[in-house]
């Protein structure tokens, strides 16, 4: 396994992050523990979840599954543990969003579910424009001072949100954001316009989620022909059909390289400037095999050029304003 610093911090994380959105949604507790065992055995020390994952009437089952694994595996000190706050956890008006009240209450609830004394990375799951940054950072400072969190991150932020958040943190002499989780893959490249450039300028690590576009980039067309999709290509019609022509070219390219589409798609992401660790979503221990191969897969320049032709960047390519201006 390879390890890199998370953003501008001194915290070292594996180049692959184990995402757990499928825990309690697609797989049960024993299967979740098996995935965690496989990840740790492969050297993956970065585990990402959210309070809303696997929830049932506000009960975050994904966090509970991780908590039971931490309690039995004794692996807490080896793991960089990340979770998120924002989504409403009930119908009550203050049980969601980014108010100081909810951030602190949500963190404490996550700590109970995760059966741990601290969260390494507490991420703001979405922007909330109605909450001032002074309030958000006040809550994060409180949690940091209490030893309940170590770092703060974000997800689904625009580039200007990152800039505003960091400026507010700087005024308070607080570390601020150290990571951002955008949706980023060969099929979804909007983050290249402003999110990635802003993050690199500010020293914020990028943790792409949905790196295979919900399975569309994992050889979905071949799996459809083989009749082996099952649960492996979620939401197939809306995720695959609009991109069928590009996916056909992509899978043909991968076949010519003698590589699996999953490995090529992740190798491409790992090569992108500013990317710290793609967030994976395996449902079985075996589904980590191909991502692990991507760590040692170096794509030739002509392959990267062909991927740009198959999956063109937004606009004229590159960051804004060059992407849309002269």
């Amino acid at each position: 396994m390879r390890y890199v610093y998370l953003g501008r911090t001194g915290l070292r994380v594996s180049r692959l992050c184990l995402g757990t959105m499928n825990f309690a949604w697609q797989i049960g507790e024993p299967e979740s523990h098996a995935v965690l065992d496989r990840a740790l055995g492969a050297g993956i020390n970065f585990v990402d979840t959210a309070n809303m994952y696997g929830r049932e009437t506000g009960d975050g089952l994904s966090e509970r599954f991780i908590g039971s694994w931490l309690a039995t595996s004794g692996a807490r000190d080896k793991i960089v543990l990340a979770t998120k706050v924002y989504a409403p956890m009930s119908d009550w008006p203050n049980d969601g969003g980014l108010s100081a009240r909810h951030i602190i209450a949500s963190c404490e609830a996550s700590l109970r579910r995760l059966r741990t004394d601290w969260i390494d990375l507490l991420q703001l799951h979405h922007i909330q424009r109605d909450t001032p940054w002074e309030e958000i950072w006040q809550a994060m400072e409180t949690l940091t001072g209490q030893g309940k969190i170590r770092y703060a991150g974000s997800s689904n932020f625009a580039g200007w949100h990152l800039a505003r958040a960091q400026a507010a943190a700087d005024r308070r002499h607080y570390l601020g954001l150290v990571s951002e989780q955008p949706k980023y893959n060969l099929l979804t490249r909007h983050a290249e316009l402003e999110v990635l450039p802003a993050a690199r300028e500010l020293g914020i690590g990028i943790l792409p989620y949905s790196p295979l576009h919900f399975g569309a980039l994992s050889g979905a067309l071949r799996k459809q022909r083989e009749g082996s999709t099952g649960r492996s290509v979620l939401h197939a019609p809306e995720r695959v059909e609009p991109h069928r022509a590009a996916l056909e070219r992509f899978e043909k390219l991968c076949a010519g390289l003698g590589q699996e589409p999953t490995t090529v798609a992740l190798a491409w992401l790992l090569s992108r400037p500013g990317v710290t660790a793609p967030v994976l979503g395996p449902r079985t221990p075996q589904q980590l095999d191909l991502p692990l191969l991507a760590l040692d897969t170096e794509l030739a320049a002509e392959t990267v050029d062909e991927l740009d032709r198959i999956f063109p960047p937004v606009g004229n390519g590159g960051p804004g304003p060059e992407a849309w201006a002269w």
Side-chain angles (χ1 to χ4, degrees):
M1 180 53 61
R2 300 175 185 176
Y3 300 91
V4 293
Y5 291 113
L6 179 61
R8 64 192 182 282
T9 74
L11 182 68
R12 297 181 69 199
V13 296
S14 50
R15 287 230 66 195
L16 296 175
C17 177
L18 179 66
T20 62
M21 189 176 73
N22 285 321
F23 289 12
W25 177 42
Q26 296 285 309
I27 59 176
E29 190 168 15
E31 295 84 359
S32 299
H33 287 192
V35 169
L36 286 160
D37 286 338
R38 173 72 172 108
L40 184 62
I44 295 175
N45 77 333
F46 198 6
V47 176
D48 174 76
T49 188
N51 57 353
M52 66 174 289
Y53 292 170
R55 71 178 182 216
E56 290 183 358
T57 62
D59 192 6
L61 284 178
S62 174
E63 288 184 330
R64 291 187 183 277
F65 288 3
I66 295 169
S68 61
W69 178 77
L70 291 173
T72 57
S73 68
R76 180 64 188 94
D77 288 339
K78 299 177 182 178
I79 294 297
V80 175
L81 183 58
T83 191
K84 306 182 189 76
V85 54
Y86 172 80
M89 298 298 287
S90 75
D91 294 333
W92 288 94
N94 289 311
D95 201 12
L98 297 180
S99 69
R101 168 177 166 154
H102 180 63
I103 288 173
I104 292 172
S106 177
C107 177
E108 291 173 345
S110 289
L111 289 170
R112 291 191 294 269
R113 289 189 291 263
L114 290 164
R115 301 195 204 180
T116 184
D117 294 327
W118 82 98
I119 291 163
D120 293 291
L121 179 65
L122 181 59
Q123 301 159 104
L124 310 172
H125 207 163
H126 201 283
I127 193 71
Q128 186 176 30
R129 294 175 176 84
D130 296 335
T131 306
W133 277 107
E134 289 72 19
E135 179 179 354
I136 293 171
W137 288 138
Q138 173 186 294
M140 291 297 200
E141 289 166 7
T142 297
L143 293 171
T144 303
Q146 293 173 344
K148 294 176 180 177
I149 69 170
R150 301 291 186 262
Y151 303 94
S154 61
S155 181
N156 300 303
F157 275 30
W160 71 275
H161 294 139
L162 298 178
R164 285 201 63 189
Q166 200 53 42
D170 289 345
R171 291 194 298 269
R172 301 176 68 91
H173 305 288
Y174 184 66
L175 183 59
L177 300 174
V178 304
S179 66
E180 157 63 17
Q181 269 199 50
K183 185 177 182 180
Y184 182 35
N185 55 53
L186 280 165
L187 280 166
T188 308
R189 300 182 61 170
H190 298 86
E192 294 173 347
L193 292 176
E194 297 199 29
V195 174
L196 269 63
R200 292 180 68 190
E201 178 71 19
L202 296 168
I204 296 172
I206 292 293
L207 311 173
Y209 73 82
S210 192
L212 300 176
H213 201 75
F214 289 92
L217 293 164
S218 68
L221 299 182
R222 184 190 66 199
K223 292 174 182 177
Q224 286 180 350
R225 290 193 298 270
E226 295 171 350
S228 60
T229 55
R231 293 184 301 174
S232 63
V233 183
L234 300 175
H235 319 299
E238 59 267 37
R239 305 290 182 181
V240 176
E241 292 305 322
H243 310 291
R244 176 172 288 275
L247 292 174
E248 286 175 350
R249 293 173 62 191
F250 174 59
E251 293 187 18
K252 183 177 179 180
L253 172 65
C254 294
L257 296 172
Q259 297 277 9
E260 286 291 326
T262 292
T263 302
V264 173
L266 288 171
W268 178 83
L269 260 185
L270 288 163
S271 73
R272 306 306 294 171
V275 168
T276 300
V279 181
L280 311 174
R283 293 179 304 284
T284 68
Q286 294 73 28
Q287 286 184 350
L288 285 170
D289 293 345
L290 293 177
L292 289 167
L293 287 177
L295 294 170
D296 296 315
T297 300
E298 186 172 346
L299 301 178
E302 54 267 28
T303 299
V304 175
D305 290 342
E306 180 61 20
L307 288 171
D308 280 341
R309 286 188 285 270
I310 297 172
F311 304 106
V314 180
N316 299 325
E322 290 86 352
W324 59 79
W326 50 270

